[in-house]
Amino acid sequence: MIVTLTVNPALDKTIELSEPLGHGAVQRAAASHVQAAGKGVNVSRAIAAAGVPTLAVLPGASTDPLVTSLSNDQLAHRCLSISEPLRTNITLTDPDGTTTKINEPGPTLNADQLAELSELVSDAAAGAHWLVLAGSLPPGVPADYYAQLTAKLRSDLGEKCPKIAVDTSGAPLIELFAHSQSHVPDLIKPNAEELAELVGGYDEDALEGSVQLASDCAQQLLAKGIGTVLATLGAKGALLVAEEGIWHGSHTPITPRSTVGAGDSSLAGYLLADVAGASAPERLKNAVAYGAAATQLPGSTIPTESDLTVDAVTVEKITSTQGTES
């Protein structure tokens, strides 16, 4: 079982443009897609599509359009009932795959609701293989929520606590490393921008432009207590940096259609391979295959195994700052 928590879920509305986005212009959409989403929900979708048990935990009233959409899609979920409506995010996609996102803040959660949500997660996650804490935090939620929840679950669940993966950005990501070792999850999945946030001194372009530099940065996080860093690097593929070694995975060139949900799909691909008992290089290979497949699909469409081109992924082990070996 893989459990996901999406504290700030959203209905994702993706509008595909037939021409590049023009500021102040009136443009017609070539197509549009609406799907119940949020990073954790997206991970659960990919896992469910692969036939592996999953449960998506999130706030939301049973009558909220996002929650009813999950029910219609038969995606297993458990909700903390709240009165405020969930948010809608809008993504504009250019013909070359460039995306412009407009994300609403989401409903406000108070301290009592947050405590109830944490208990809901604890009950759902006991005995699971993985728990994924993913996405932004809505108004009212402290930036260290993921860090504190990680420590609480380890204390409360003991041996029944699953491995914990976190995929977030900004202050919630930085807070993971601002406390004790018990607050640091087992895995994080930063993109290049988020990896730069964590280590400082570099920007997104520099890390996407140099696999070795990105690897050096990710290795700094191992010294801070993280067990595994799965870093997605856009067209450069992804890095897996762990205690047992460092690998870089890349896919043959593709034609991007939408990058929405690609990182979520990469994480799902990694977790699916891990649950199946795959080696580290094979876990990375599956992650890159899932991410590439998602990039070639419209909107926030999550890939299934039939969309994957695993044979198009090459994985190399990084052995030193001087190069790589196959």
Side-chain angles (χ1 to χ4, degrees):
M1 168 72 77
I2 298 175
V3 178
T4 66
L5 170 63
T6 309
V7 188
N8 204 13
L11 273 177
D12 271 359
K13 182 169 186 178
T14 303
I15 301 172
E16 294 188 58
L17 302 175
S18 55
E19 298 178 354
L21 176 66
H23 184 70
V26 176
Q27 296 180 242
R28 295 186 182 277
S32 64
H33 317 270
V34 178
Q35 187 173 58
K39 296 184 76 62
V41 171
N42 290 341
V43 171
S44 278
R45 282 190 183 279
I47 291 167
V52 173
T54 186
L55 177 68
V57 179
L58 61 152
S62 60
T63 55
D64 192 280
L66 186 152
V67 177
T68 57
S69 177
L70 294 180
S71 298
N72 293 337
D73 292 343
Q74 298 184 327
L75 182 67
H77 59 280
R78 192 177 298 178
C79 293
L80 171 70
S81 182
I82 61 173
S83 58
E84 286 189 64
L86 298 174
R87 61 182 181 152
T88 297
N89 291 341
I90 298 174
T91 300
L92 305 176
T93 304
D94 285 7
D96 66 355
T98 300
T99 58
T100 302
K101 300 190 69 175
I102 304 171
N103 292 347
E104 293 182 350
T108 299
L109 297 182
N110 61 39
D112 290 340
Q113 290 172 319
L114 204 56
E116 288 184 59
L117 185 62
S118 297
E119 289 303 316
L120 196 63
V121 172
S122 180
D123 180 64
H129 287 92
W130 280 95
L131 168 64
V132 178
L133 311 177
S136 64
L137 298 176
V141 179
D144 66 350
Y145 176 66
Y146 287 144
Q148 298 298 341
L149 180 58
T150 296
K152 174 179 170 55
L153 291 172
R154 286 175 172 159
S155 175
D156 292 352
L157 298 180
E159 293 182 355
K160 290 187 176 181
C161 186
K163 290 182 285 187
I164 298 174
V166 178
D167 183 6
T168 189
S169 60
L173 178 62
I174 293 170
E175 283 290 335
L176 295 175
F177 299 94
H179 307 276
S180 71
Q181 178 61 47
S182 64
H183 295 77
V184 180
D186 299 280
L187 179 150
I188 58 170
K189 195 224 68 63
N191 58 25
E193 180 181 4
E194 293 155 357
L195 184 57
E197 279 184 299
L198 279 173
V199 300
Y202 303 100
D203 60 21
E204 177 183 2
D205 291 341
L207 297 189
E208 285 195 352
S210 171
V211 170
Q212 188 60 59
L213 180 59
S215 171
D216 292 343
C217 290
Q219 288 179 75
Q220 294 181 37
L221 301 178
L222 295 187
K224 296 183 178 182
I226 192 74
T228 303
V229 179
L230 175 64
T232 51
L233 303 175
K236 283 292 184 72
L239 272 171
L240 180 60
V241 179
E243 295 175 355
E244 64 262 48
I246 305 168
W247 292 267
H248 172 239
S250 60
H251 196 284
T252 55
I254 61 173
T255 300
R257 187 168 179 182
S258 171
T259 59
V260 179
D264 308 330
S265 295
S266 294
L267 178 55
Y270 178 91
L271 299 179
L272 285 167
D274 181 76
V275 169
S279 66
E282 290 300 317
R283 296 196 297 269
L284 177 59
K285 190 170 189 176
N286 208 49
V288 173
Y290 263 89
T295 303
Q296 297 175 85
L297 295 172
S300 55
T301 304
I302 300 300
T304 64
E305 290 181 315
S306 63
D307 297 312
L308 305 182
T309 49
V310 179
D311 291 343
V313 179
T314 300
V315 173
E316 297 179 315
K317 185 173 185 180
I318 297 178
T319 57
S320 73
T321 58
Q322 301 303 312
T324 62
E325 70 174 359
S326 299

